[in-house]
Amino acid sequence: MSSTEPERHHAMAVNRRIVLAARPHGEPKPGDLRLEEVPVPQPGPGEVLLRTKWLSLDPYMRGRMSDAKSYAASVEIGAPITAETVGEVVASNNPDFKVGELLTAFAGWQDYFVTDGKGSRRVDPQAAPPSTALGILGMPGMTAYTGLLNIGKPKAGETVVVAAASGPVGSLVGQIAKLKGARAVGIAGGPDKCRYLTEELGFDAAVDHRAPDFAEALARACPQGIDVYFENVGGAVFEAVLPLLNDFARIPVCGLVSAYNLTEVPPGPDQRPALMRMVLTKRLHIQGFIVWDFAAQAEEFRREVGGWLKEGRVRYREDVVDGLEKAPEAFIGMLKGRNFGKLVVRVAP
Amino acid sequence: MSSTEPERHHAMAVNRRIVLAARPHGEPKPGDLRLEEVPVPQPGPGEVLLRTKWLSLDPYMRGRMSDAKSYAASVEIGAPITAETVGEVVASNNPDFKVGELLTAFAGWQDYFVTDGKGSRRVDPQAAPPSTALGILGMPGMTAYTGLLNIGKPKAGETVVVAAASGPVGSLVGQIAKLKGARAVGIAGGPDKCRYLTEELGFDAAVDHRAPDFAEALARACPQGIDVYFENVGGAVFEAVLPLLNDFARIPVCGLVSAYNLTEVPPGPDQRPALMRMVLTKRLHIQGFIVWDFAAQAEEFRREVGGWLKEGRVRYREDVVDGLEKAPEAFIGMLKGRNFGKLVVRVAP
């Protein structure tokens, strides 16, 4: 059996993994996550052993660290943090997968992972850099594509606003909005990210949410109001967007990163009735989604965005961190907006 | 000219009308509305004079009395309150309309109205009682039909909850939900209205929002959760509905009658972030609408609901008030849920 040698090779190796030590209260602290070393797992019949090369860090992982009810199960205490990865097959007991191939998997924050390959997809390193399978051609890209097109439905001439706009979801939202003939306005933290949006990605305007006159600057950037607001962040950005919404505006709700670390219900006044009144008088359409709600569109997404990428019509940026042990710090920084581009960890060369 | 005689007949008559004397602060008070007498207007070329027979009273009118920005212009101080009416043509300078015909019109709270007939529709008193043109076959019926079918999209086996369920919109929402194979749960004020929903309209359950255990009773009435919540009221009812919503629930927002009289932003905590979090985790779809957004479906609505009405598959109830001078009191009572069925004023026999 061809897999015997690599299996043996890894049998004595160590699997480093980062597990949930304690449920974070508010902002995760380094002590909430623990690096530990365990034996490399062995693939059983029909299974393969993957060595993680690329690990994706995404805001949704903060939710998995909580035990609040959500659309997905929480990470259990002592278990590795959830994450999608690109790994190399280093041992295979499954004729469908050969040693040396690259596969996506939900391996979590660890070096090695055993899978039967269900739900994995082959990554062709010739077609695009493998890490893009975690970014523009992966879950973040598909989140942007499906949420914007199914719920946001931008029309030519409309104004599309997206927050966290230099991130992997937001940057594609704005670029697709442009491809559909809409005006794209990005919100990002700091002048470098804003410059990147307008100068490199072709956004029509970019607004720095850290600027003291943020709300006024957003209003100036949207002289015709807002028709689509792709919600990634909540909080003060949502507050500034609300008065600018046009009648019949659509709000795909993809994330609320500003609220993920909240530990208390914010003080009053209660803005919920005012929001509902605005929903009524402006005929707003607010809809939450996660990418898996549109799983049936995965092929279409990869074909269309893959095509745009090849043709140079969409671009992406990665923020690469080297070494699994750096994942916790990078993740905590991401929740504060410290990354610039899709945050990925290069776990193995 | 055949119209000369009736014109002369009414020229000396008096037009009673109820005008906005002052913008209500909170709940409208009798002094905010004023009955006055003015000369009957005379139809010009191409116009007709309508004598109001039926006047519709609807919650949206509270909004028109405010000067807050909304989807429709406010009533000006000194002008008659907006309302749809059924009136009889008593003088006509328009060959399309004959004396004696009944027309819908936005005549407002008054005895007489001059119109060129644009936007009016002929009411056939043989087909259904003329007042139904203001209820189940009019704007409230079409509001129920279009909001439920375009946004709520109830599927067989799902649970549809509607508040103000014995009113003209809510009662048809529940009956259409039943026709689509869904479970219909109505919320109404008091045991008589609740009994009416289950015993006369065929709702599966009815819950009294005045009962001290309202939230628990609603939960018991919805053992499979809530898939569609047709929002007419807001406030405490919405509060009780929220935890029962299923993933992918749809919330057509048609009205917020509990909030129409609010004068201050309610105290904290701020529930808006929690609502947005629920939108995300449950993938809720919240959408405001008014009936005119679906104006293109008017013919389809009248054909389909008119057919159901003839076949006895849907029913309605009216709360008739006699005399224009009773309109203010009836309207103020309606905002407190004192009417039982579609509230209409019989202005002339």
Side-chain angles (χ1 to χ4, degrees):
Chain A
M1 190 163 127
S2 73
S3 65
T4 312
E5 234 238 323
E7 239 180 71
R8 223 181 256 146
H9 174 73
H10 292 277
M12 292 297 103
V14 152
N15 179 30
R16 295 173 308 153
R17 59 186 204 175
I18 294 169
V19 302
L20 187 61
R23 300 210 179 279
H25 183 74
E27 187 183 302
K29 281 168 286 298
D32 297 329
L33 303 168
R34 182 178 68 232
L35 177 67
E36 60 181 29
E37 301 194 343
V38 295
V40 172
Q42 299 302 310
E47 295 181 333
V48 302
L49 177 65
L50 293 177
R51 179 164 187 202
T52 304
K53 294 179 78 81
W54 294 98
L55 170 67
S56 182
L57 294 182
D58 302 280
Y60 76 86
M61 296 166 183
R62 176 63 186 85
R64 304 293 174 88
M65 296 176 188
S66 299
D67 50 10
K69 188 181 172 321
S70 183
Y71 45 77
S74 304
V75 173
E76 295 194 17
I77 298 289
I81 309 300
T82 309
E84 197 173 14
T85 55
V86 172
E88 183 180 351
V89 178
V90 290
S92 175
N93 295 326
N94 184 323
D96 290 345
F97 302 106
K98 293 194 185 60
V99 168
E101 285 187 321
L102 298 179
L103 296 185
T104 64
F106 279 89
W109 295 22
Q110 57 186 342
D111 285 322
Y112 290 94
F113 184 63
V114 164
T115 175
D116 62 7
K118 281 190 192 118
S120 284
R121 286 187 332 267
R122 225 169 240 103
V123 174
D124 175 3
Q126 306 306 317
S131 57
T132 59
L134 304 175
I136 190 166
L137 297 180
M139 196 197 64
M142 185 163 154
T143 299
Y145 180 88
T146 57
L148 182 65
L149 298 183
N150 289 286
I151 303 173
K153 295 182 178 151
K155 292 192 276 285
E158 289 191 328
T159 297
V160 174
V161 171
V162 61
S166 67
V169 176
S171 63
L172 190 56
V173 165
Q175 291 180 88
I176 296 176
K178 290 298 296 174
L179 289 173
K180 299 292 173 185
R183 176 177 169 81
V185 176
I187 299 170
D192 288 351
K193 289 178 180 175
C194 287
R195 220 169 8 246
Y196 167 69
L197 294 176
T198 52
E199 293 180 7
E200 298 194 39
L201 298 186
F203 280 56
D204 295 283
V207 184
D208 183 353
H209 67 78
R210 294 180 187 155
D213 68 338
F214 163 62
E216 294 74 23
L218 183 63
R220 282 194 303 273
C222 303
Q224 309 295 319
I226 297 174
D227 300 293
V228 179
Y229 172 57
F230 194 101
E231 173 64 296
N232 281 322
V233 300
V237 171
F238 190 49
E239 192 78 35
V241 161
L242 281 172
L244 303 176
L245 291 171
N246 290 330
D247 284 358
F248 305 106
R250 288 82 67 196
I251 306 181
V253 181
C254 167
L256 295 163
V257 70
S258 76
Y260 292 171
N261 284 337
L262 286 184
T263 54
E264 285 170 16
V265 184
D270 184 2
Q271 303 286 358
R272 191 178 68 195
L275 176 63
M276 292 301 288
R277 183 176 155 79
M278 191 180 283
V279 164
L280 176 60
T281 58
K282 292 189 177 181
R283 278 73 64 80
L284 303 181
H285 174 168
I286 301 179
Q287 187 172 345
F289 76 101
I290 61 169
V291 64
W292 312 124
D293 299 339
F294 302 109
Q297 298 172 15
E299 283 307 314
E300 175 199 327
F301 151 70
R302 275 193 292 272
R303 194 176 55 243
E304 189 155 29
V305 178
W308 290 335
L309 188 61
K310 253 183 210 153
E311 297 160 12
R313 300 178 73 191
V314 294
R315 309 173 69 174
Y316 67 96
R317 179 183 176 116
E318 285 178 346
D319 189 334
V320 178
V321 171
D322 267 297
L324 179 65
E325 68 283 1
K326 300 280 178 52
E329 183 191 336
F331 177 73
I332 292 168
M334 178 184 63
L335 294 179
K336 297 177 179 159
R338 293 212 184 117
N339 59 308
F340 187 176
K342 172 69 187 104
L343 186 58
V344 285
V345 180
R346 182 159 34 204
V347 177
Chain B
M1 193 162 132
S2 71
S3 65
T4 310
E5 234 237 324
E7 239 181 69
R8 226 181 254 145
H9 175 73
H10 292 277
M12 292 297 102
V14 151
N15 180 29
R16 294 173 309 154
R17 59 185 205 175
I18 294 169
V19 301
L20 187 62
R23 301 211 178 277
H25 183 74
E27 187 183 302
K29 281 168 286 297
D32 296 331
L33 303 169
R34 183 179 69 231
L35 177 68
E36 60 180 29
E37 301 194 344
V38 294
V40 173
Q42 300 301 312
E47 294 181 333
V48 302
L49 177 65
L50 293 177
R51 180 166 185 198
T52 304
K53 294 180 80 82
W54 294 98
L55 171 67
S56 184
L57 294 182
D58 302 280
Y60 77 85
M61 296 165 184
R62 176 63 185 85
R64 304 294 174 87
M65 297 176 188
S66 299
D67 52 8
K69 190 184 171 321
S70 183
Y71 45 77
S74 304
V75 173
E76 296 195 16
I77 299 289
I81 309 300
T82 309
E84 197 173 13
T85 55
V86 172
E88 184 182 349
V89 178
V90 291
S92 175
N93 295 327
N94 185 323
D96 291 346
F97 302 108
K98 293 192 185 60
V99 169
E101 284 188 323
L102 297 179
L103 297 186
T104 64
F106 278 89
W109 296 22
Q110 57 184 344
D111 285 322
Y112 290 94
F113 184 63
V114 164
T115 174
D116 62 7
K118 280 191 191 115
S120 284
R121 18 198 228 270
R122 225 169 240 104
V123 174
D124 176 4
Q126 306 305 317
S131 58
T132 59
L134 304 175
I136 190 167
L137 297 180
M139 196 197 64
M142 185 163 154
T143 299
Y145 180 88
T146 56
L148 183 65
L149 298 182
N150 288 287
I151 303 172
K153 296 183 179 150
K155 291 192 277 283
E158 289 191 328
T159 297
V160 174
V161 171
V162 61
S166 68
V169 177
S171 63
L172 190 57
V173 166
Q175 292 180 88
I176 296 176
K178 290 298 296 175
L179 289 173
K180 299 292 173 187
R183 176 178 169 80
V185 177
I187 299 171
D192 288 351
K193 290 179 180 176
C194 287
R195 219 166 11 246
Y196 167 70
L197 294 176
T198 53
E199 293 180 8
E200 298 194 42
L201 298 187
F203 279 56
D204 295 283
V207 184
D208 183 353
H209 67 77
R210 295 179 187 156
D213 68 336
F214 163 63
E216 294 74 23
L218 183 64
R220 283 193 303 272
C222 303
Q224 309 295 319
I226 297 173
D227 301 292
V228 179
Y229 172 56
F230 194 101
E231 173 64 296
N232 282 321
V233 300
V237 172
F238 189 49
E239 192 77 35
V241 162
L242 281 173
L244 303 176
L245 291 170
N246 290 330
D247 283 359
F248 304 107
R250 286 81 68 197
I251 306 182
V253 181
C254 167
L256 295 163
V257 70
S258 76
Y260 291 172
N261 284 337
L262 285 184
T263 53
E264 285 170 16
V265 184
D270 184 3
Q271 302 287 359
R272 191 178 69 196
L275 175 63
M276 292 301 288
R277 184 177 154 78
M278 191 180 282
V279 164
L280 177 60
T281 59
K282 293 190 177 181
R283 277 73 63 80
L284 303 181
H285 174 168
I286 301 179
Q287 188 173 344
F289 76 102
I290 62 168
V291 64
W292 312 124
D293 299 340
F294 301 110
Q297 298 173 17
E299 282 308 314
E300 175 199 327
F301 152 70
R302 275 193 292 271
R303 192 174 58 242
E304 189 155 28
V305 178
W308 289 335
L309 187 61
K310 253 182 210 152
E311 296 160 13
R313 300 177 73 190
V314 294
R315 308 173 69 175
Y316 68 96
R317 179 182 175 117
E318 286 179 345
D319 189 334
V320 178
V321 171
D322 267 298
L324 179 66
E325 67 284 1
K326 299 281 179 50
E329 183 191 336
F331 178 73
I332 292 168
M334 177 183 65
L335 294 178
K336 296 176 180 161
R338 292 210 184 118
N339 60 308
F340 186 176
K342 172 67 188 104
L343 187 58
V344 285
V345 180
R346 183 160 31 205
V347 177

